[in-house]
Amino acid sequence: MIDDSLKKDYLYKIKLINKHNKLYYEKNNSKVSDYDYDQLKKEIIEIESKYPEIVVKESPSLNVGFKPSKNFKKISHKVPMLSLSNAFNEEDLKNFEKKIINFLSLNKNFEIEYSTEPKIDGISASIKYEKGVFIKGLSRGDGIQGEDITENLKTISDIPKTINLNDFPKSIDIRGEVFISKRDFKKMDKKFANPRNAASGSLRQKDPKETKKIPLKFIAYTFGYIEEQKSKTQSDFLLNLKKWGFKTSKFNKKIKGIKNLVQYHKKFEEIRFDLDYDVDGIVYKVNNFDLQKRLGSVTNAPRWAIAHKFSANSSISKILKIEIQVGRTGALTPVAKIKPVNIGGVVVSNATLHNEDEIQRKDIRLGDIVKVERAGDVIPHVLSVNKGEREKNSKKYIFPKLCPSCGSKTVKDFNETTKKFDAVRRCLNENFKCEKIAMEGLKHFVSKDALNIDGFGKKIVEKFWDLKFIRFPHDIFDLDLEKIKKIDGWGDLSVSNLNYAIEKSKEIKLERFIFSLGIRHIGQENAKLIARHLKNIDNFYKLSNEKNIENLSNIDGIGDTQIQSIKLFFSNKNNQNILKKLKEKMKILDFINNKIEGSLKNKTFMFTGKLKEISRAEAKSLVEENSGKIISNVNSKLNYLVIGDKPTSKKIKKAQELNIRIISQDELMKMLNQAG
Ligand code: IVH
């Protein structure tokens, strides 16, 4: 017979553990240590083993594993929410504009007009209106899928719930920034470090009633999907936003010329602290929508916009030590350990020295008094040395010539195009034995853009490496969970959470998988190009035959550098073995071409000579948008050779020999128009 007080105690414990589960899994906010949680679970199990008839269906013993957070439903953005590339100085801006001018093949003196807008440091949101009614509100998420935070966004009074104006598009996503004013932040509980975190936390409250209590604001600045865009420019669109009832920034302004942008940036930087909200830079957007459309975007960011960050805060400190870190690609990065200083509210004790050349150029030495700068989310770096305060007996810093991790030879690559040696020295990892490189490779493997294993951060990789739990990527799928549970700070809950994340990561898109391998020169963009070309994992494995690697040179964007790097990767037996093991453990999904199939499908093109009005890069993206393919050799696989001004006669001759169709740019444009 179970007495009442025992039953009461048991039920109380069940209720408590489920409350902790809910807090942990649904609110990301555990109120109990792993130890206490495990203790509680143990007590429940003990009671149950003594009195099996007591078990209730809510017992953790009946609920194996835990469900993931389903706080908010994930919904795909109709148009991805991109991020912005950053610029820190005039040089970066000049490069940004030069690229645009080249891409659009504009006259060098063409004056681009920009819509300039303060970059509010908050949380972006996308609000869908159908026939003037607020239907759905999403967070940015990973840019492709956002979280459904409709109810929370509906509590923000700056966001209109209905818009009854004739010129408001029938179907549109309005995008902008949710934030908390500095004044309101000061009045809030001191639960958050800064207004941005507070806005993010408030917006993601499970209960919209909680969100409503927080004075969130919203400033609109762009659109995602739009049924019909009547504005011709971004600045016009911003005016429309205001007319439709959205708040827009009063600092939005049209500016032409880099010099003027820099001047405005400088002026703004002085007043930024007087504003009632955090601004971490100014966004410059090519104002003309037609030009924006032509420019398009790279993986994550548009070519037509950039965020010019405000310069960082800086402080003076002393170099105590110079450490050489070895990166995933073998790059030796010198890092100065400095006397801890507070820079803009953050204690900094490391500052990067970038590379060997940088140390030489600035003549940075041990014991030097240096100026350290920290800009937002960028790693702090040593800006300058105060040579006047240098001790008399200080010696020039000698950069190590051998890898500090494995002792093997290091080299600086010679760049054939620039005819210069690289500034970065690299470990050659001659026998593929460099531990640091392997460990950094693992960090990359589990990282956000690769396998994206939630909770498997850099520190955990280091810990598991030190404990010899992991040496190769596939070891991650063979981790002994019981052993992990015994490590300080780990318990049932965190282990099952980790296990869930690892299991989830086994199913992966081909392009992500290729990227995760960390092959030098194969970043996200190139991994995608290769995945699109190879389509499935079997074809990727076939690259172990060197002949198949050569075929990759048909992909526009994959050059000799990438080919050599892929060859080197596959020539290593270790890598081949890793691939084999990963294939056994993972489910690698075929490449899915999200693009609607255009009428140039299965057609290959090559260009020779200068094109009129558009650049090669733009012509290439036009062909690709319509599912055509660009190849870089005249061979039997080529369908069309497009000739511009002053074409290479050799190419034309070869095309004629192979009976390949030779067309003019106008003919290509006609094909594209038909396609569109
Ligand atoms: S435009 C493709 N405009 O900055 C254009 N973004 O790093 C992308 N942001 O996620 C957004 N003010 O949270 C744009 N006037 C502005 C902005 C702005 C702040 C934020 C936004 C975005 C991030 C991009």
Side-chain angles (χ1 to χ4, degrees):
M1 202 35 208
I2 302 161
D3 74 37
D4 272 349
S5 75
L6 177 73
K7 177 120 193 177
K8 223 168 142 187
D9 182 36
Y10 169 75
L11 290 176
Y12 170 73
K13 287 189 161 101
I14 296 280
K15 210 169 150 188
L16 191 62
I17 202 159
N18 284 325
K19 193 174 125 195
H20 289 322
N21 281 344
K22 210 176 154 88
L23 276 174
Y24 187 88
Y25 286 106
E26 295 188 14
K27 300 210 167 148
N28 300 321
N29 182 9
S30 180
K31 290 254 190 315
V32 63
S33 70
D34 270 344
Y35 176 78
D36 287 343
Y37 178 91
D38 290 345
Q39 235 12 66
L40 180 63
K41 191 169 167 186
K42 218 164 103 191
E43 289 166 20
I44 293 174
I45 308 274
E46 268 171 16
I47 303 176
E48 290 181 348
S49 54
K50 262 197 213 151
Y51 306 100
E53 64 276 37
I54 203 171
V55 181
V56 290
K57 68 173 191 311
E58 291 81 5
S59 160
S61 60
L62 296 180
N63 295 293
V64 206
F66 297 97
K67 39 183 199 328
S69 158
K70 42 173 202 159
N71 221 354
F72 296 103
K73 210 165 83 196
K74 290 246 161 59
I75 296 188
S76 291
H77 293 292
K78 216 162 170 182
V79 170
M81 279 182 93
L82 300 176
S83 62
L84 294 167
S85 350
N86 290 329
F88 295 98
N89 48 44
E90 190 167 342
E91 191 67 25
D92 295 345
L93 292 179
K94 280 187 184 155
N95 276 331
F96 164 70
E97 191 170 83
K98 204 155 93 198
K99 278 195 198 144
I100 293 178
I101 301 245
N102 286 341
F103 189 91
L104 297 173
S105 204
L106 298 169
N107 184 307
K108 266 211 297 288
N109 302 321
F110 186 92
E111 280 220 302
I112 299 173
E113 182 178 71
Y114 296 97
S115 163
T116 71
E117 306 156 20
K119 186 169 183 295
I120 302 168
D121 195 11
I123 304 296
S124 52
S126 180
I127 296 144
K128 182 187 171 103
Y129 289 87
E130 295 284 350
K131 297 202 181 92
V133 180
F134 176 155
I135 297 285
K136 257 224 164 355
L138 304 182
S139 70
R140 179 171 185 272
D142 62 4
I144 305 293
Q145 283 192 320
E147 289 170 316
D148 183 350
I149 48 169
T150 308
E151 296 312 314
N152 300 29
L153 286 168
K154 276 192 178 161
T155 67
I156 302 176
S157 60
D158 285 347
I159 304 178
K161 311 299 171 300
T162 50
I163 298 165
N164 286 319
L165 288 167
N166 281 340
D167 64 342
F168 187 64
K170 277 211 185 64
S171 175
I172 186 171
D173 301 331
I174 301 285
R175 293 178 174 173
E177 208 74 359
V178 176
F179 63 98
I180 293 182
S181 74
K182 290 184 199 164
R183 199 173 338 126
D184 287 332
F185 177 69
K186 272 201 195 116
K187 287 191 258 167
M188 281 176 71
D189 282 355
K190 287 285 151 279
K191 256 203 322 213
F192 298 102
N194 52 47
R196 187 179 189 277
N197 290 1
S200 166
S202 316
L203 207 51
R204 299 182 79 261
Q205 290 284 341
K206 182 83 180 142
D207 183 0
K209 279 197 225 91
E210 288 302 309
T211 308
K212 203 176 166 65
K213 288 184 197 156
I214 297 138
L216 291 170
K217 292 193 159 68
F218 181 76
I219 278 192
Y221 48 67
T222 193
F223 56 92
Y225 173 79
I226 182 163
E227 196 174 82
E228 189 191 355
Q229 177 58 276
K230 291 204 182 109
S231 309
K232 296 226 172 317
T233 60
Q234 164 72 5
S235 49
D236 260 4
F237 181 74
L238 289 170
L239 290 177
N240 273 332
L241 279 173
K242 197 164 174 200
K243 203 174 74 191
W244 295 331
F246 293 93
K247 297 259 163 62
T248 53
S249 169
K250 63 173 182 199
F251 297 100
N252 294 341
K253 194 175 153 85
K254 286 189 281 187
I255 299 181
K256 276 184 190 168
I258 301 291
K259 283 266 170 298
N260 296 325
L261 291 179
V262 173
Q263 204 179 12
Y264 183 62
H265 184 265
K266 209 166 156 194
K267 259 187 26 213
F268 207 101
E269 191 155 19
E270 286 159 17
I271 62 147
R272 66 184 273 220
F273 296 108
D274 302 334
L275 303 186
D276 193 28
Y277 46 83
D278 281 332
V279 172
D280 59 349
I282 305 186
V283 185
Y284 306 143
K285 301 176 182 170
V286 170
N287 200 23
N288 184 303
F289 280 153
D290 284 339
L291 295 185
Q292 282 192 8
K293 204 162 157 226
R294 283 177 60 192
L295 285 160
S297 55
V298 286
T299 316
N300 273 325
R303 288 194 187 88
W304 44 263
I306 200 155
H308 190 182
K309 291 287 185 95
F310 288 133
S311 77
N313 306 306
S314 59
S315 282
I316 305 294
S317 180
K318 182 177 176 170
I319 297 190
L320 304 174
K321 203 174 153 196
I322 295 178
E323 265 184 21
I324 308 292
Q325 293 182 350
V326 185
R328 171 171 68 81
T329 59
L332 305 193
T333 306
V335 176
K337 298 274 152 186
I338 57 169
K339 210 168 144 209
V341 275
N342 188 316
I343 313 182
V346 174
V347 178
V348 174
S349 46
N350 294 316
T352 180
L353 300 171
H354 300 294
N355 53 52
E356 184 178 6
D357 282 14
E358 175 88 356
I359 297 189
Q360 291 261 333
R361 195 172 49 246
K362 291 188 176 154
D363 185 20
I364 297 166
R365 306 180 183 193
L366 274 176
D368 272 352
I369 301 298
V370 288
K371 189 170 177 184
V372 178
E373 189 182 59
R374 189 185 75 91
D377 43 9
V378 189
I379 306 168
H381 66 278
V382 170
L383 205 62
S384 56
V385 179
N386 184 343
K387 290 187 179 143
E389 282 193 49
R390 182 174 273 169
E391 290 184 18
K392 278 201 198 77
N393 57 359
S394 104
K395 291 196 186 70
K396 242 189 164 29
Y397 179 75
I398 301 177
F399 203 90
K401 298 288 177 285
L402 295 178
C403 171
S405 163
C406 67
S408 73
K409 212 166 86 186
T410 61
V411 291
K412 286 178 161 190
D413 286 347
F414 185 71
N415 185 320
E416 285 295 342
T417 332
T418 59
K419 300 281 174 227
K420 275 188 194 154
F421 280 99
D422 206 354
V424 178
R425 182 173 282 282
R426 280 173 208 282
C427 163
L428 274 185
N429 191 14
E430 281 178 310
N431 306 311
F432 299 100
K433 289 262 152 44
C434 185
E435 294 215 348
K436 256 316 202 154
I437 293 183
M439 186 168 76
E440 293 303 314
L442 288 176
K443 287 182 191 170
H444 173 77
F445 187 68
V446 297
S447 67
K448 203 157 181 275
D449 294 326
L451 264 71
N452 191 18
I453 306 184
D454 229 12
F456 209 135
K458 293 184 176 173
K459 285 269 171 312
I460 296 183
V461 173
E462 281 168 18
K463 180 97 194 165
F464 288 2
W465 179 277
D466 289 343
L467 292 166
K468 300 203 168 52
F469 288 1
I470 47 174
R471 281 293 174 270
F472 301 107
H474 48 85
D475 293 340
I476 284 162
F477 303 119
D478 288 329
L479 281 168
D480 184 338
L481 302 182
E482 292 308 314
K483 272 194 191 162
I484 300 175
K485 273 182 202 163
K486 293 194 186 106
I487 308 172
D488 231 16
W490 287 81
D492 278 355
L493 195 59
S494 39
V495 168
S496 72
N497 202 20
L498 180 74
N499 190 36
Y500 175 82
I502 293 175
E503 285 301 313
K504 203 173 79 175
S505 76
K506 285 184 176 171
E507 190 173 297
I508 189 168
K509 287 185 184 167
L510 179 61
E511 59 268 39
R512 254 182 193 265
F513 178 76
I514 297 174
F515 173 70
S516 77
L517 298 172
I519 305 171
R520 196 170 161 214
H521 302 298
I522 308 297
Q524 277 176 290
E525 197 77 22
N526 285 338
K528 201 164 176 184
L529 291 176
I530 295 171
R532 174 169 290 146
H533 178 85
L534 293 175
K535 298 197 173 59
N536 58 48
I537 188 68
D538 289 330
N539 286 334
F540 184 72
Y541 285 120
K542 285 186 192 143
L543 297 181
S544 51
N545 180 342
E546 206 180 295
K547 272 200 301 230
N548 294 332
I549 300 182
E550 290 296 341
N551 283 340
L552 297 179
S553 62
N554 280 333
I555 309 173
D556 199 52
I558 301 293
D560 203 39
T561 316
Q562 287 77 18
I563 299 279
Q564 291 314 324
S565 178
I566 296 172
K567 276 189 184 163
L568 185 67
F569 177 84
F570 277 95
S571 70
N572 173 6
K573 287 277 164 299
N574 260 341
N575 287 336
Q576 300 240 9
N577 189 37
I578 291 168
L579 282 178
K580 207 176 110 215
K581 291 268 170 55
L582 290 177
K583 196 180 174 191
E584 283 162 21
K585 312 253 176 224
M586 300 178 77
K587 182 176 173 200
I588 298 149
L589 307 172
D590 290 356
F591 182 82
I592 296 175
N593 203 345
N594 281 329
K595 288 185 192 155
I596 301 159
E597 293 204 332
S599 63
L600 302 187
K601 187 174 183 277
N602 297 332
K603 299 270 185 297
T604 57
F605 294 80
M606 185 185 161
F607 294 97
T608 175
K610 194 176 164 8
L611 301 172
K612 286 176 290 190
E613 283 159 15
I614 60 170
S615 68
R616 278 271 179 96
E618 188 178 356
K620 184 188 125 196
S621 62
L622 282 171
V623 168
E624 285 172 349
E625 270 165 27
N626 290 292
S627 314
K629 232 167 92 179
I630 304 288
I631 61 178
S632 47
N633 286 313
V634 182
N635 60 33
S636 58
K637 286 191 189 129
L638 181 65
N639 298 118
Y640 298 95
L641 179 68
V642 187
I643 50 169
D645 195 24
K646 299 205 185 92
T648 317
S649 49
K650 239 188 179 163
K651 287 182 184 151
I652 298 187
K653 211 168 137 223
K654 184 128 188 243
Q656 282 165 340
E657 278 167 21
L658 293 171
N659 245 338
I660 288 164
R661 272 196 65 186
I662 299 173
I663 60 170
S664 67
Q665 183 181 348
D666 289 343
E667 283 172 288
L668 171 70
M669 288 305 163
K670 250 192 231 146
M671 283 170 84
L672 286 169
N673 285 338
Q674 279 160 10

